Amino acid sequence: MATFHERHPGITEALLSRSRNRAQDNPYEWAARRLTHVETILDVGCGSAPMAPHLANWVGLDLSEPELDLAGASGRVPLVCGHSDALPMADGSVSAVLAVMSLMVVDDPARTLLEAARVLRSDGVMVIVLPAQRPAKISDVVRFGSLLAVLGRLMLPFPHPEVAQNLRELLDGAGFELVEDVRDRFEYPISEEADADLLIDSLYLPGVSHRRMRVALALVRRWVGRSVGLPLRRVVARKVGASRVGE
Ligand SMILES: C[S@@+](CC[C@H](N)C(=O)[O-])C[C@H]1O[C@@H](n2cnc3c(N)ncnc32)[C@H](O)[C@@H]1O
């Protein structure tokens, strides 16, 4: 996965920043809605830092230098090169931790949540955005079903697909209580072939043959003029023992 981000810095932002829900928010705007009036925000796995323009008092952390270089080149600072297993922050030093499209790809999601709890203040809030399977329209199910079939996969192979199933237990184990668990569908328009190419490039597909990738690309290019839905899940949790903030 690290190599994927070295080769494709900014790819998640490129895809998601073009996707909108019914309120016309992209996923980053949707995530930022849960983080108003927060003093200090640590964005773990910030990538090219798409959250930075939406938040005050933001600090981005990632282990990928190409992602951080891209973020820095857009003036999205401050940035820290670091690993989520050992966050380089003091105990109780931040008000909110954000993990947008990153908790299912870090090496150790449980350890990442423990580290998030450690660096959070006692009234700290954790906001997580993850890929989901619903809500979806029938056309999404048909399109993604045919795409997965040509790729020879039953589902997209994130390094830690179990995070989606076990998130509540993982949060509980790290000392968080759940505040919100919602989902929304973001529509990604495929107006031209470049949009189809971006969708395929954004998929993490280790081990899929070049032949299957070519067939998949040809399939998605046939969707020009249409759109596909990207279902996402937003989870907000509070460090246990905290007062009721962030709701
Ligand atoms: C799918 S990208 C999401 C990037 C960004 N949050 C976004 O939504 O566009 C996941 C990011 O997590 C970073 N990452 C993966 N494992 C990490 C770790 N253990 N510690 C810090 N960052 C990590 C990757 O380098 C990558 O930039």
Side-chain angles (χ1 to χ4, degrees):
M1 192 78 193
T3 335
F4 175 81
H5 285 282
E6 308 281 297
R7 284 207 312 266
H8 299 92
I11 189 112
T12 309
E13 176 180 5
L15 185 84
L16 295 187
S17 60
R18 293 173 202 199
S19 309
R20 305 266 155 195
N21 64 7
R22 289 179 72 165
Q24 294 305 309
D25 279 344
N26 71 33
Y28 304 112
E29 292 161 338
W30 186 60
R33 290 194 182 283
R34 297 303 301 180
L35 287 167
T36 49
H37 313 300
V38 178
E39 239 172 75
T40 43
I41 301 169
L42 176 66
D43 186 354
V44 176
C46 67
S48 53
M51 291 302 299
H54 304 294
L55 297 168
N57 308 318
W58 171 97
V59 177
L61 178 139
D62 205 288
L63 49 67
S64 162
E65 289 195 5
E67 292 278 9
L68 293 174
D69 287 347
L70 193 59
S74 315
R76 295 169 172 180
V77 289
L79 298 166
V80 178
C81 188
H83 199 290
S84 64
D85 278 5
L87 295 173
M89 275 86 197
D91 296 3
S93 57
V94 301
S95 325
V97 173
L98 187 56
V100 177
M101 302 298 281
S102 60
L103 196 60
M104 73 298 177
V105 305
V106 297
D107 298 324
D108 187 340
R111 169 96 203 158
T112 297
L113 288 175
L114 284 168
E115 274 293 278
R118 179 185 66 75
V119 303
L120 275 171
R121 288 182 189 166
S122 61
D123 60 350
V125 173
M126 175 99 213
V127 176
I128 300 167
V129 174
L130 292 173
Q133 307 219 324
R134 61 180 169 79
K137 290 186 175 176
I138 291 289
S139 57
D140 302 331
V141 176
V142 170
R143 288 192 187 123
F144 275 109
S146 55
L147 177 59
L148 288 171
V150 300
L151 290 168
R153 290 283 184 274
L154 286 176
M155 58 190 293
L156 290 176
F158 294 112
H160 293 288
E162 77 282 1
V163 167
Q165 284 111 52
N166 305 339
L167 187 56
R168 288 176 184 227
E169 291 79 2
L170 284 169
L171 285 167
D172 193 44
F176 287 99
E177 63 185 10
L178 194 72
V179 172
E180 176 193 76
D181 188 352
V182 297
R183 292 157 196 264
D184 207 346
R185 175 182 179 275
F186 292 82
E187 200 152 293
Y188 174 70
I190 305 180
S191 311
E192 52 184 323
E193 286 193 350
D195 300 325
D197 300 1
L198 175 61
L199 178 62
I200 290 291
D201 285 347
S202 74
L203 303 176
Y204 170 64
L205 296 168
V208 174
S209 69
H210 289 302
R211 190 190 64 78
R212 279 191 186 273
M213 290 301 281
R214 276 199 305 278
V215 178
L217 189 56
L219 172 73
V220 178
R221 283 182 175 178
R222 289 209 296 272
W223 301 344
V224 168
R226 303 190 181 156
S227 59
V228 290
L230 307 175
L232 296 179
R233 179 177 175 195
R234 182 182 68 189
V235 173
V236 181
R238 184 192 304 112
K239 197 168 155 177
V240 168
S243 58
R244 299 182 70 80
V245 297
E247 289 178 81

